[in-house]
Amino acid sequence: MPRSLASAPQARTVSAPAVLWLRRDLRRADHPALGAAATHGDVLPVFVLDPAFFEAAGPARQGWLAATLRALDASYEGRLCLRAGDPATVIPELVREVGAASVHVSTETEPGGAARDAAVRANLVAAGVDWVETGSPYAVTPGRVVNQSGEGYKVFTPFLRAWREHGWRGPAVEPDGVRLLAADGDPGAWRRVDAALTACPIPLPPAGEDPARARWAEFLGSGLAGYDTDRDRPDLAATSRLSPYLKFGVVHPRTLLADLQGRTGKAVERFTAELAWREFYADVLHRHPASLAGDLNPLGVGYDEPGEGFEAWRDGRTGFPVVDAGMRQLLATGWMHNRVRMITASFLTKDLHLWWPVGARHFLDHLIDGDLASNTHGWQWTAGTGTDAAPYFRVFNPVTQGEKFDPHGDYVRRWVPELAHVRGAAVHRPWDVADGYAHGYPRPILDHAAERLEALARYQRR
């Protein structure tokens, strides 16, 4: 297991108040920036509802953020200061109001967040206010895992090995006697939060740190043992379902890794590797910010424009049951099983021949766990333009994938009620069932075998 790099909490040296600006670290436990802020004196926790980020989120993720902020306010004893506007203006104004001498944050490495932070930091430094970065949303901050040449990795397996060897700090302990400062929030911002929660089109999981820890405890107790063998089964409740909490930093991956220490076996290794995938993609995006909107490894193939095929994919009516089940699960819950994410992404890029950003944007519009780096590079991995040696020839067969990973058809029947009458694995081939289309399920919109050959031909012509 990785070595622990934990250090003892620093002694408090009371001076002017400190602002703790929360972003993708919406928690109180295991929060290094909170500990650092508390060494300076009273701490004002603040969240800025930045229109540039908030308005870009779909209504499901807006609702999830709103629920999380309400829970966060309770974690900070009702003293979360919520303001709305451009942080480059809002944070300096708040600093002047409370007479703070420092602003504490978790390091941000996503392109948009890093640019925002640079603007805020410049304004604060010009005013003589300290900018202090402590910790990040990751066990190992992106940019720190390097090969022998001092460069980053583009292939996961060597990254995983180096990530483990690098190690990470143990969970941060909140200093005794943290004093939280109260400041006037923006009633209009709270109204927008509550409106987003009311308008959320999906039922949300319980929000906040306590539900996140309860979910993790449940998974450790009854789910982890079967994770290695069952995690690819969308018909089973075999995954941790922690991704919505990791999205906003309600729980830190370092906390999870610490709880895994002393546990052995393939399931532990597999779950740890899945956490590492999240860190790998964050590292790749940090080093290659242009990959957010373009191919990391361009293939030079031709793509079609979105049309009726995209609309059928988006709405879950392609005529391929496991694809449609996944797309309907996404619309109904704001979440999709990871194996099905790969199947649906392959269908869009390899069967419909659309460029991956079309699908990635749709996912971000609906996923409550829509992590920018993981979503972007998960799509690129499937499309063949991302972090893999030569994946362009990998074309998922949506029928055989459904039969393999939903062997009894329970996942499809849950999300595609038109096929609820079809028993067993036959649900994946309704065209072979006498009454397969008796309840209005659509016929396939394309011939997968033909489109697979077309995809391979396009790649070979590149």
Side-chain angles (χ1 to χ4, degrees):
M1 297 300 291
R3 64 189 185 279
S4 174
L5 303 178
S7 58
Q10 296 179 350
R12 181 192 299 272
T13 55
V14 178
S15 57
V19 168
L20 175 65
W21 180 21
L22 301 164
R23 293 88 65 79
R24 289 198 294 153
D25 49 358
L26 305 187
R27 66 185 183 281
R28 184 161 177 175
D30 189 4
H31 202 308
L34 170 60
T39 65
H40 290 263
D42 294 351
V43 178
L44 175 63
V46 59
F47 185 89
V48 180
L49 204 63
D50 182 354
F53 285 81
F54 186 72
E55 301 302 334
R61 196 156 75 254
Q62 287 181 354
W64 180 234
L65 173 60
T68 302
L69 288 173
R70 278 299 183 189
L72 182 69
D73 186 40
S75 292
Y76 281 95
E77 304 165 22
R79 297 191 176 188
L80 176 66
C81 179
L82 184 69
R83 298 284 178 96
D86 182 352
T89 301
V90 172
I91 292 297
E93 288 178 348
L94 186 59
V95 164
R96 287 193 295 271
E97 286 179 27
V98 301
S102 58
V103 171
H104 294 257
V105 298
S106 299
T107 299
E108 183 55 78
T109 57
E110 288 184 350
R116 172 204 62 203
D117 283 5
V120 177
R121 181 173 60 246
N123 289 345
L124 292 173
V125 170
V129 178
D130 291 337
W131 172 270
V132 184
E133 298 183 4
T134 312
S136 78
Y138 305 97
V140 182
T141 301
R144 293 184 179 175
V145 176
V146 297
N147 59 23
Q148 292 182 346
S149 301
E151 299 175 344
Y153 292 90
K154 286 190 176 181
V155 178
F156 175 69
T157 300
F159 173 89
L160 174 62
R161 183 168 53 250
W163 178 77
R164 288 180 180 274
E165 291 174 353
H166 181 282
W168 42 82
R169 296 182 183 275
V173 178
E174 182 176 318
D176 292 335
V178 172
R179 297 191 301 272
L180 297 177
L181 184 66
D184 291 337
D186 180 351
W190 278 117
R191 284 194 295 271
R192 290 178 66 188
V193 163
D194 292 337
L197 188 54
T198 300
C200 185
I202 61 170
L204 294 170
E209 295 179 74
D210 288 344
R213 284 193 291 265
R215 178 69 196 110
W216 174 232
E218 181 183 1
F219 178 71
L220 283 178
S222 60
L224 179 61
Y227 185 75
D228 182 55
T229 56
D230 296 338
R231 66 186 180 86
D232 276 328
R233 291 278 300 273
D235 57 325
L236 303 177
T239 62
S240 73
R241 296 299 292 263
L242 287 170
S243 57
Y245 299 107
L246 287 166
K247 159 64 185 174
F248 288 128
V250 176
V251 64
H252 197 283
R254 178 181 49 233
T255 302
L256 310 183
L257 290 163
D259 288 344
L260 293 174
Q261 286 191 2
R263 296 172 181 260
T264 58
K266 290 183 178 180
V268 174
E269 293 299 310
R270 184 67 261 172
F271 186 81
T272 302
E274 291 303 311
L275 291 175
W277 270 108
R278 178 176 178 270
E279 309 235 335
F280 173 55
Y281 283 150
D283 189 82
V284 171
L285 181 59
H286 169 60
R287 297 177 186 278
H288 305 280
S291 68
L292 186 62
D295 297 332
L296 181 68
N297 295 305
L299 293 176
V301 301
Y303 299 103
D304 295 345
E305 291 295 321
E308 292 182 359
F310 170 71
E311 293 175 0
W313 175 86
R314 179 194 62 196
D315 298 338
R317 48 182 180 82
T318 67
F320 291 87
V322 75
V323 173
D324 294 340
M327 299 307 296
R328 296 184 192 189
Q329 181 185 31
L330 173 64
L331 295 177
T333 70
W335 188 84
M336 189 195 297
H337 188 279
N338 188 61
R339 167 57 58 172
V340 187
R341 295 188 197 202
M342 291 188 285
I343 297 169
T344 56
S346 180
F347 191 88
L348 184 108
T349 57
K350 305 291 178 66
D351 286 83
L352 292 173
H353 314 297
L354 301 183
W355 196 28
W356 64 265
V358 175
R361 179 68 258 173
H362 179 76
F363 271 28
L364 280 182
D365 283 344
H366 294 279
L367 287 169
I368 63 172
D369 68 352
D371 179 270
L372 200 59
S374 293
N375 186 61
T376 296
H377 284 287
W379 270 92
Q380 292 213 45
W381 181 89
T382 302
T385 64
T387 54
D388 209 329
Y392 61 85
F393 53 80
R394 183 190 295 112
V395 180
F396 285 16
N397 183 316
V399 178
T400 58
Q401 286 280 310
E403 292 171 332
K404 180 177 181 180
F405 297 110
D406 183 26
H408 309 297
D410 294 335
Y411 177 72
V412 165
R413 277 187 292 275
R414 178 179 180 185
W415 296 108
V416 185
E418 306 98 299
L419 297 177
H421 65 291
V422 182
R423 297 295 90 199
V427 76
H428 296 292
R429 298 176 184 266
W431 46 85
D432 289 337
V433 179
D435 61 347
Y437 295 102
H439 297 284
Y441 186 64
R443 300 274 179 175
I445 63 172
L446 53 80
D447 180 337
H448 169 71
E451 299 307 333
R452 175 182 178 276
L453 293 177
E454 170 62 18
L456 294 178
R458 293 190 187 199
Y459 287 123
Q460 289 165 358
R461 290 196 300 264
R462 74 192 196 282

